[in-house]
Amino acid sequence: MTYTPFFLDGDTRPARWRVTCDHAANTVPPMISGGDLGLPAADMARHIAWDVGAWGVSLALGRLLDAPVAGANFSRLVIDPNRGEDDPTLLMKLYDGTIIPGNRHADADECNRRLDLCYRPYDRVLAGLMAPAGSVQLSIHSFTPQLRGRPPRPWHVGILHAGANPLAEALLRLLRAEPDLVIGENEPYGGHLPGDAIDRHALALGRANVLIELRNDLIATPEGQQAWAARLAPLLTRALADSGL
């Protein structure tokens, strides 16, 4: 079977939304270290290798919003598509206390090879989706309830944005009105990184955007993924209308 470094679902759907999932898979392509980074399966199933549950939520949101959905079909440990090409964390050798054996000797040439094989093809898909005027990037991620040696993370959902963002602000207002949710603004991470996927494909073009982080224990099952997509879709539709964008 031919390897393709991205997923694309519903690319002819008419909505303004473009659902993107940068850490959709924990795949190690066969041309990268023979398809094995030297980690046990239990580590490859953890958040260090991908955003657990995020792709299922993305697919469900695409259907509910009638929007195209794109995802990266390679582990963030191979190369991270949510980093700029000059970011020092683009190719990680240590992540949340775990050494990545297959990355130990990866040099600049190996990094560039992975960019060509994985990162850049996915990046071109995102560029194509976001090119039409009026496109709205909805970036779906998930986070672990607790990093090693760190305090538990109480949030159910985090909304990330850089500076003034009417869509993110409208969505935050709606989510904060939900009595059973703990909502973080720029939690568990702060805003966006220069050169990340939203910076490249939304901010650089002046496109509306929002990044949603879901705690991964809430979306670890297909049932949880469907339930959260069903909960978020009407809020996203209302937030876009409220934002005036």
Side-chain angles (χ1 to χ4, degrees):
M1 183 180 294
T2 303
Y3 168 73
T4 303
F6 56 83
F7 305 114
L8 185 59
D9 184 70
D11 57 314
T12 61
R13 291 174 184 153
R16 294 174 61 195
W17 295 102
R18 276 81 172 103
V19 185
T20 63
C21 189
D22 301 320
H23 303 138
N26 58 358
T27 306
V28 180
M31 65 286 293
I32 306 295
S33 300
D36 186 347
L37 292 176
L39 290 173
D43 274 332
M44 289 302 298
R46 293 175 57 221
H47 69 97
I48 64 170
W50 63 326
D51 280 359
V52 176
W55 181 237
V57 174
S58 299
L59 287 173
L61 279 170
R63 290 189 289 269
L64 291 168
L65 297 171
D66 205 15
V69 188
N73 184 23
F74 51 92
S75 172
R76 70 201 305 166
L77 298 179
V78 170
I79 197 90
D80 194 334
N82 196 35
R83 298 290 185 270
E85 290 197 15
D86 60 349
D87 193 296
T89 64
L90 179 68
L91 198 163
M92 294 289 281
K93 301 186 178 186
L94 175 70
Y95 198 150
D96 193 22
T98 297
I99 295 170
I100 319 303
N103 292 349
R104 183 174 180 179
H105 300 295
D107 57 13
D109 287 343
E110 175 62 12
C111 183
N112 194 60
R113 188 174 78 92
R114 296 186 191 187
L115 286 166
D116 281 340
L117 287 168
C118 299
Y119 179 112
R120 289 170 181 149
Y122 172 64
D123 199 60
R124 288 192 289 270
V125 169
L126 297 195
L129 286 180
M130 292 301 298
S135 297
V136 181
Q137 187 169 4
L138 170 58
S139 183
I140 302 298
H141 292 256
S142 71
F143 63 94
T144 184
Q146 186 172 13
L147 292 170
R148 288 178 175 173
R150 303 287 185 87
R153 292 162 157 177
W155 312 282
H156 300 99
V157 184
I159 303 300
L160 275 58
H161 63 94
N165 182 321
L167 177 56
E169 292 157 11
L171 183 58
L172 279 164
R173 286 193 295 272
L174 294 172
L175 285 167
R176 285 168 173 158
E178 301 280 307
D180 60 329
L181 296 181
V182 179
I183 304 300
E185 181 174 3
N186 287 327
E187 297 286 359
Y189 314 106
H192 297 298
L193 296 170
D196 70 10
I198 280 185
D199 192 22
R200 298 194 307 271
H201 298 293
L203 297 178
L205 300 176
R207 304 285 191 253
N209 64 89
V210 65
L211 189 154
I212 299 178
E213 288 270 4
L214 291 160
R215 206 176 69 207
N216 67 23
D217 60 317
L218 304 175
I219 56 170
T221 65
E223 294 77 14
Q225 294 157 22
Q226 295 292 327
W228 273 95
R231 185 169 192 173
L232 289 170
L235 299 177
L236 285 159
T237 299
R238 183 176 166 188
L240 184 57
D242 290 351
S243 73
L245 295 169

